[in-house]
Amino acid sequence: MPGRGVAHRGQQGNIEIMIDPFGRSISYLRVSVTDRCDFRCVYCMAEDMVFLPKSDLLSLEELEKLCLAFIGQGVRKLRLTGGEPLVRRGIMSLIHNLGRQIGHGLDELTLTTNGSQLARFADDLVAAGVKRINVSIDTLNPEKFAEITRWGRLDQVLAGVMAAKNAGLAIKINMVALKSVNENEFDQMIAFCGEHQFDLCLIETMPLGEIDQDRTAQYLPLSLVRARLNRHWTLNESDYATGGPARYVTIAQTGQRLGFITPMTHNFCESCNRVRLTCTGTLYMCLGQDDAADLRAPLRAGVSDAELADILAEAISRKPKGHDFIIDRDHKSPAVARHMSVTGG
Ligand code: SAM
Ligand code: SF4
């Protein structure tokens, strides 16, 4: 049984917390609310992606019930992702319901989005209690944006981002670093983020899921990017940490944060406080491992809250020490078969 250990339940004040066998308290749940998306980013999906049958998906009520069970067990931060979370029909009702938990166990409800639907939803997100969102933009060049996302339009995304800014949401831009594609655009993105007071996070490509492209050709180590950025920007070490995989610096010239997510070059697992729930109710204890717990079957069998809490504790006892990403250089096959859009980025 991979990585099976002993999980503990602890108490923080009156609140239950789940502690994994390596002493990490699990306070962060990322939920992929759909595997579908209105874009087909080249590093994320094949153009002819086959999506899950709708009957496999958890209903919004089931997703809510699971989220509430996690909050009951000490999860304080929820991030909704996908696929594209804002293309799931009725998603705002889930967001409003979860938003009501803020201050009642939940500290924060956030979202990672491609921004295409933000112009429609920004005000509603704020009304639901969302304060910060991550928006993925890999380039500010409209043609290149269309090439990377295949189906996306930069002007629509930028309009969404500006609507989110005007609604009062704090914004972090996620930019996947792609060799020979956007590697000359980091300075421009830093300046754009500085102008709008957005934080920026650079991400190395991760070998998740079959795509119709060569992954080794896309991979750009951020150690190299950082060395190049040092020529133009003063990057001051920052102790800002989200418990996530990003290491942050502050850019002296703009005052904004810059994060580096480097799964391939830096082992970020020791401080990992998160688990991931898919839209079919599968709980992955690690983005880079296949071991999982099925929560849908017990949920549909009508388990009690106490039984659900036991199932979560058993799953957490299997959280592995770390991931195992390696690009298979000869066969170019992914280290993990499921796509990022299944587990959620
Ligand atoms: N659709 C939303 C979006 O694009 O922000 C949320 C889901 S997307 C899977 C979450 C994040 O994962 C995005 O920032 C995306 O760029 C990133 N991502 C997707 N596939 C990736 C991969 N293979 N390696 C690294 N990052 C990836
Ligand atoms: Fe869709 Fe996000 Fe994947 Fe792009 S990265 S295809 S926007 S899920």
Side-chain angles (χ1 to χ4, degrees):
M1 193 71 61
R4 183 182 283 278
V6 180
H8 308 277
R9 284 214 189 104
Q11 223 38 62
Q12 233 166 40
N14 296 330
I15 302 167
E16 289 271 348
I17 49 170
M18 298 183 288
I19 303 167
D20 81 359
F22 304 97
R24 298 168 295 193
S25 22
I26 307 306
S27 56
Y28 184 2
L29 176 68
R30 295 172 80 103
V31 186
S32 176
V33 297
T34 175
D35 64 329
R36 282 155 210 266
C37 188
D38 51 345
F39 292 2
R40 291 288 180 280
C41 301
V42 291
Y43 47 78
C44 180
M45 294 190 184
E47 186 150 25
D48 57 350
M49 279 289 283
V50 179
F51 294 108
L52 295 162
K54 289 221 166 105
S55 55
D56 281 3
L57 301 194
L58 294 185
S59 66
L60 293 171
E61 293 71 26
E62 288 170 326
L63 278 168
E64 183 179 339
K65 182 161 182 176
L66 286 180
C67 289
L68 294 183
F70 276 99
I71 295 168
Q73 294 304 306
V75 160
R76 308 185 70 107
K77 180 170 170 183
L78 274 181
R79 178 177 295 279
L80 306 186
T81 173
E84 174 46 42
L86 294 179
V87 301
R88 172 132 190 199
R89 192 168 307 151
I91 189 65
M92 281 314 304
S93 70
L94 176 68
I95 297 178
H96 275 284
N97 290 350
L98 294 175
R100 289 194 196 101
Q101 301 302 314
I102 297 170
H104 304 279
L106 190 64
D107 292 340
E108 194 176 32
L109 176 61
T110 58
L111 196 75
T112 299
T113 171
N114 66 21
S116 69
Q117 309 300 313
L118 272 177
R120 271 205 291 157
F121 289 124
D123 288 330
D124 218 3
L125 288 171
V126 172
V130 175
K131 294 204 161 52
R132 300 191 301 141
I133 56 170
N134 292 357
V135 186
S136 305
I137 307 180
D138 299 326
T139 175
L140 293 169
N141 174 315
E143 288 81 36
K144 212 176 273 184
F145 187 86
E147 273 168 40
I148 295 174
T149 61
R150 291 196 183 104
W151 297 1
R153 279 193 13 236
L154 181 65
D155 57 349
Q156 185 183 351
V157 169
L158 290 181
V161 170
M162 293 313 152
K165 179 184 171 184
N166 292 337
L169 288 165
I171 293 168
K172 184 166 80 183
I173 302 294
N174 280 344
M175 179 181 189
V176 175
L178 297 162
K179 193 165 151 187
S180 313
V181 177
N182 63 4
E183 67 178 302
N184 295 323
E185 297 182 36
F186 301 121
D187 291 336
Q188 188 191 8
M189 189 65 91
I190 288 174
F192 169 80
C193 289
E195 183 189 337
H196 293 287
Q197 295 175 310
F198 302 156
D199 287 337
L200 175 63
C201 209
L202 304 182
I203 307 176
E204 281 177 355
T205 51
M206 291 175 238
L208 299 177
E210 288 291 350
I211 52 171
D212 41 11
Q213 311 247 331
D214 175 0
R215 286 200 184 277
T216 49
Q218 299 176 340
Y219 178 59
L220 175 64
L222 288 184
S223 47
L224 192 72
V225 174
R226 186 166 172 167
R228 287 188 203 152
L229 291 179
N230 270 322
R231 292 188 212 141
H232 299 287
W233 306 96
T234 310
L235 306 181
N236 293 322
E237 287 299 333
S238 152
D239 52 12
Y240 177 75
T242 58
R247 299 281 179 273
Y248 284 92
V249 296
T250 304
I251 305 173
Q253 288 86 345
T254 66
Q256 295 304 124
R257 283 190 201 108
L258 173 64
F260 297 90
I261 299 189
T262 57
M264 309 299 288
T265 53
H266 185 102
N267 194 327
F268 54 68
C269 306
E270 69 278 0
S271 60
C272 179
N273 62 355
R274 62 194 59 196
V275 288
R276 295 175 149 86
L277 180 66
T278 72
C279 52
T280 57
T282 304
L283 183 69
Y284 284 98
M285 280 64 81
C286 173
L287 182 63
Q289 301 274 3
D290 282 327
D291 190 33
D294 173 32
L295 304 181
R296 186 180 58 186
L299 190 63
R300 291 192 174 166
V303 286
S304 67
D305 290 351
E307 285 164 334
L308 196 49
D310 286 344
I311 292 167
L312 299 188
E314 188 281 328
I316 299 305
S317 76
R318 288 188 272 138
K319 186 165 163 66
K321 193 164 181 204
H323 70 64
D324 207 9
F325 289 131
I326 306 162
I327 294 184
D328 172 346
R329 290 192 187 276
D330 296 326
H331 301 95
K332 319 254 181 341
S333 58
V336 171
R338 61 186 188 278
H339 291 85
M340 184 76 114
S341 51
V342 172
T343 333

